Amino acid sequence: MTDNLSRRGFFRQASGRGDVRRPPWTGDDFTDQCTRCNACIDACPEAILIRGDGGFPEIRFDVNGCTLCGDCVAVCEEAVFDTARPAFPWHASIQSHCLALAGIHCQSCQDACDYNAIQFPPRLGSAPRPELDTDACVGCGACLPACPNNAIALEVANG
Ligand code: SF4
Ligand code: SF4
Ligand code: SF4
């Protein structure tokens, strides 16, 4: 197997705009447990939970990120959420069409991140480039809609 193929096998990569992504603190058994009552969708103050395929909630980062407020957890009457696990199985990944990587001054993603997961170390004579700390990133998605060039993806380790 080539490096590319093995890497492709280990990661699923997507834009975060169309893939099925579930609410925070949920697991692979989501559709077994969820009764599609819509309570979490109605409760989310960021309006990032939507009724997806089959009526099951999905999370979309088209406009806002998740603030990890826990309102969805609070209203759910089923064994869907487990806050002992990480909120999301993915982390942000900056793509090659990032404006700053092309020498254009942009730090919108850093400004959107409440976790200081994106830094722009100063560079002499050129635009600073983003560095993403995947350990600090919680996958909240706030940097996705902040990027003017749609250059941030969410990367999931298949494990
Ligand atoms: S934690 Fe809060 S912001 Fe995040 S999906 Fe749940 S209700 Fe919405
Ligand atoms: S509140 Fe719970 S059961 Fe209801 S739709 Fe949301 S996850 Fe499913
Ligand atoms: S997904 Fe959230 S925590 Fe991760 S880099 Fe983007 S804004 Fe920061």
Side-chain angles (χ1 to χ4, degrees):
M1 189 180 288
T2 67
D3 282 353
N4 273 348
L5 281 175
S6 64
R7 180 173 168 76
R8 208 172 296 146
F10 191 70
F11 290 112
R12 288 197 313 273
Q13 205 170 59
S15 68
R17 310 261 167 174
D19 286 20
V20 174
R21 302 185 187 284
R22 297 301 180 196
W25 302 291
T26 58
D28 291 341
D29 61 350
F30 183 81
T31 54
D32 297 332
Q33 305 290 341
C34 173
T35 59
R36 296 173 270 185
C37 74
N38 284 355
C40 58
I41 295 170
D42 294 340
C44 179
E46 304 301 323
I48 55 176
L49 298 182
I50 58 117
R51 206 170 153 80
D53 275 357
F56 290 104
E58 298 178 15
I59 193 164
R60 293 283 164 84
F61 299 121
D62 295 345
V63 178
N64 293 320
C66 172
T67 60
L68 306 184
C69 69
D71 286 3
C72 49
V73 181
V75 297
C76 182
E77 296 183 351
E78 309 301 325
V80 172
F81 295 91
D82 177 1
T83 54
R85 59 186 155 209
F88 298 111
W90 52 72
H91 60 74
S93 170
I94 295 167
Q95 307 297 289
S96 59
H97 56 287
C98 160
L99 297 176
L101 293 180
I104 298 165
H105 208 91
C106 174
Q107 301 188 0
S108 297
C109 53
Q110 181 187 49
D111 296 342
C113 181
D114 288 340
Y115 299 89
N116 295 320
I118 304 176
Q119 302 288 332
F120 283 78
R123 293 176 86 217
L124 277 180
S126 59
R129 298 161 70 96
E131 290 183 1
L132 192 133
D133 178 350
T134 53
D135 290 333
C137 174
V138 300
C140 74
C143 53
L144 271 73
C147 177
N149 212 31
N150 192 24
I152 302 180
L154 295 171
E155 198 168 73
V156 182
N158 283 336

